[in-house]
Amino acid sequence: MHSRLIVNKRLVLAYFIGGIVWIFFIDDILILLNIMHDPYALKLVETIIFIVVSSYLLYSFIKQTEYCKKAEEDENQLSLLINSMPDFVCFKDGEGRWLKVNDFGRDLYHLNEVDYIGKTDADLGVINPFFKEAFDECLKSDNDTWKQAKITRADESFILPNEETKTFDVIKVPLFYDSGERKGLVIIGRDITQQKLTEAMLLKKEKLSVIGEMAAGIAHEIRNPLTGVKGFLQLMGENNTASKDHLSIIMSEMDRINHIVSELLVLSKPQPKKYNPFLLSESLSYVCNITSHEAKEKGIIIDFGNDSYDPTVFGDRNQLIQVFINIVKNAIDAMPRGGRIEISVNNIDQKFVKVIVVDDGIGIPKERLNKIGEPFFTLKEKGMGLGLTISNKIINEHKGTINIESVVTVGTTVSITLPVYNDHVPEACKSSN
């Protein structure tokens, strides 16, 4: 801007000198051109020309002065604007030489006592060696912007003399002449250091929350087999007998507890699941045996109608048992005054089977039904709200679906769809194996 003002002032001065030369030599020029021989007429013409030329030069000078003054005012306003910004603002020419930087930028790079105008990043790195690495990175990103020939945006970090690390969201705008040559580069950087620290803290809190959720989920699932073990031990104590069937179920539940705890120990490095084919009816019968004692105590009848249809499914048997127990226990909890739970297996087609669990409990209000399955959402006073969350995850991993329908005071129907195993791994389960 300053160079433009100097050029304009020099142009006015040249016009003025040229006009003076023209006035002093106009009579000689006219005589040489053989136009004027009368000395009085010559003087009159000289006077008129003098007035016209002087007026024109004076007018041009005033206009140029006004233009220069306005340009200076515009430059001052621009300087005031960019210096009031809490961001780094810098203007460079097509060769990467610094033309102007705001107060924030001078303070940031300690350039208050440095004549930075006309210097490149490499030059400033020599003048201020502490920021040499930062200036070198700026030079690289500038070149990338020129190569892409479009606005670029990236995060740039560097260390300050007080050992504080600063991170900036940097936008670079390349400018070109009509010929395609480089004209200039506008750089704007916003300090996002605090934002990055906040994001890191939130990420850490989220990780801790996930770990806590996992731990709560494991605790929730351990409680289910422990309930079964406790029920059968009570039954054995009441009858003063140790039934082999009861002991077998207790040992099986203890194995399931051990399996759940093992999963907790490998949370940091999840192991691939080993899916195998198994009869669905056997698993459902096992679930009915596990939950029968608790159901009997509350006056609830569990009716498992298998009929003649006994499909084989492909998956992790323990995990699916965990799902069915969660659903049956939820049905039991929904019938504090007793009732009936019906479990049936329906054939959808050759690829899928549906397990339906129906209870005649208190039901779920419509406004709460949409939230069922969300972590930590529960209708139980002492519940954790993780049973259906984990169940949904397990069924999804088995390429199945869960659907819940409920009517208040009428009951709830839970439908679980799973792929059928027909002497080969179902296509839907291959990605999970």
Side-chain angles (χ1 to χ4, degrees):
M1 185 65 73
H2 286 296
S3 59
R4 184 186 299 174
L5 295 178
I6 292 172
V7 169
N8 290 332
K9 290 179 179 178
R10 287 176 177 173
L11 184 61
V12 172
L13 183 60
Y15 283 154
F16 185 75
I17 294 174
I20 297 298
V21 171
W22 172 264
I23 291 171
F24 277 104
F25 292 97
I26 186 61
D27 52 349
D28 295 330
I29 294 174
L30 293 174
I31 293 171
L32 287 175
L33 292 176
N34 236 357
I35 296 175
M36 292 291 180
H37 298 284
D38 186 350
Y40 294 103
L42 183 62
K43 288 297 181 182
L44 180 59
V45 172
E46 287 180 355
T47 302
I48 294 173
I49 293 177
F50 176 79
I51 293 173
V52 172
V53 173
S54 298
S55 299
Y56 176 76
L57 291 175
L58 181 61
Y59 175 79
S60 299
F61 180 75
I62 292 173
K63 283 297 182 181
Q64 289 294 333
T65 303
E66 290 177 353
Y67 173 79
C68 294
K69 184 177 180 181
K70 189 176 185 307
E72 289 178 354
E73 290 176 353
D74 291 343
E75 183 180 10
N76 290 336
Q77 289 179 358
L78 177 61
S79 298
L80 181 63
L81 175 62
I82 65 174
N83 286 329
S84 63
M85 293 177 63
D87 304 320
F88 173 82
V89 181
C90 179
F91 300 92
K92 298 179 181 179
D93 64 14
E95 300 299 324
R97 293 185 290 259
W98 288 44
L99 301 177
K100 189 173 186 61
V101 65
N102 64 345
D103 292 343
F104 182 94
R106 285 196 295 272
D107 293 337
L108 180 67
Y109 286 107
H110 295 189
L111 298 176
N112 289 309
E113 305 298 328
V114 176
D115 181 15
Y116 65 86
I117 297 177
K119 304 290 193 306
T120 64
D121 289 314
D123 297 332
L124 294 176
V126 174
I127 296 173
N128 196 340
F130 183 87
F131 291 102
K132 185 179 185 306
E133 185 176 347
F135 285 127
D136 289 343
E137 289 299 322
C138 288
L139 187 60
K140 291 179 182 178
S141 61
D142 287 355
N143 290 332
D144 290 339
T145 300
W146 286 121
K147 288 179 182 178
Q148 296 181 41
K150 64 180 182 179
I151 298 175
T152 61
R153 185 172 187 173
D155 292 350
E156 295 184 7
S157 301
F158 56 90
I159 301 175
L160 299 180
N162 60 3
E163 298 184 356
E164 179 186 2
T165 299
K166 283 286 187 181
T167 302
F168 285 83
D169 177 17
V170 181
I171 297 175
K172 298 192 175 185
V173 184
L175 305 175
F176 297 89
Y177 290 106
D178 294 338
S179 62
E181 295 181 358
R182 297 179 181 180
K183 182 177 182 180
L185 187 66
V186 181
I187 304 170
I188 302 174
R190 171 152 294 183
D191 187 354
I192 57 172
T193 305
Q194 192 59 44
Q195 178 182 332
K196 287 294 183 181
L197 293 175
T198 302
E199 289 176 356
M201 290 178 62
L202 289 175
L203 182 60
K204 185 176 181 180
K205 286 184 66 177
E206 184 177 351
K207 289 181 179 179
L208 291 174
S209 176
V210 170
I211 292 174
E213 183 178 329
M214 287 182 177
I218 296 296
H220 175 87
E221 296 310 323
I222 287 178
R223 188 188 306 169
N224 284 340
L226 284 178
T227 301
V229 170
K230 180 182 177 182
F232 280 103
L233 288 176
Q234 287 177 341
L235 186 62
M236 290 166 57
E238 292 172 0
N239 299 332
N240 293 321
T241 58
S243 169
K244 289 185 178 180
D245 292 337
H246 291 172
L247 289 174
S248 175
I249 291 175
I250 290 173
M251 293 302 296
S252 178
E253 287 297 272
M254 295 301 293
D255 288 339
R256 196 154 70 89
I257 291 174
N258 182 61
H259 175 73
I260 293 171
V261 173
S262 298
E263 285 189 344
L264 177 62
L265 295 176
V266 298
L267 278 178
S268 59
K269 188 178 180 181
Q271 302 297 318
K273 294 178 175 59
K274 296 181 179 179
Y275 288 2
N276 295 297
F278 63 91
L279 290 174
L280 185 59
S281 61
E282 290 184 358
S283 299
L284 291 174
S285 297
Y286 180 82
V287 171
C288 291
N289 287 333
I290 288 295
T291 56
S292 61
H293 179 70
E294 183 180 356
K296 186 177 181 180
E297 284 185 338
K298 294 185 178 181
I300 298 171
I301 298 174
I302 300 178
D303 181 12
F304 173 37
N306 186 32
D307 298 330
S308 59
Y309 181 58
D310 190 10
T312 300
V313 296
F314 186 82
D316 188 314
R317 182 174 181 272
N318 280 331
Q319 284 195 333
L320 290 178
I321 286 176
Q322 179 180 333
V323 171
F324 296 136
I325 288 178
N326 275 331
I327 293 172
V328 173
K329 283 180 65 64
N330 284 340
I332 293 173
D333 292 338
M335 293 185 288
R337 298 179 183 178
R340 187 181 189 86
I341 299 175
E342 296 182 357
I343 303 175
S344 60
V345 179
N346 296 335
N347 179 21
I348 299 179
D349 51 37
Q350 294 182 351
K351 294 183 178 181
F352 290 94
V353 63
K354 180 181 288 187
V355 178
I356 302 175
V357 180
V358 181
D359 68 63
D360 52 9
I362 59 176
I364 304 170
K366 186 176 181 180
E367 63 272 12
R368 296 188 177 186
L369 189 61
N370 294 331
K371 294 184 178 181
I372 294 294
E374 293 183 5
F376 302 108
F377 176 80
T378 179
L379 302 175
K380 303 176 186 177
E381 182 180 352
K382 297 182 180 180
M384 292 294 293
L386 288 169
L388 281 177
T389 303
I390 296 172
S391 297
N392 275 325
K393 182 175 182 294
I394 292 173
I395 295 300
N396 287 335
E397 289 175 350
H398 283 75
K399 306 305 177 185
T401 59
I402 293 183
N403 182 56
I404 301 176
E405 298 177 354
S406 186
V407 178
V408 177
T409 71
V410 176
T412 301
T413 300
V414 180
S415 304
I416 301 174
T417 302
L418 292 170
V420 176
Y421 177 81
N422 293 317
D423 297 329
H424 67 281
V425 179
E427 291 294 330
C429 292
K430 284 185 176 180
S431 60
S432 299
N433 191 11

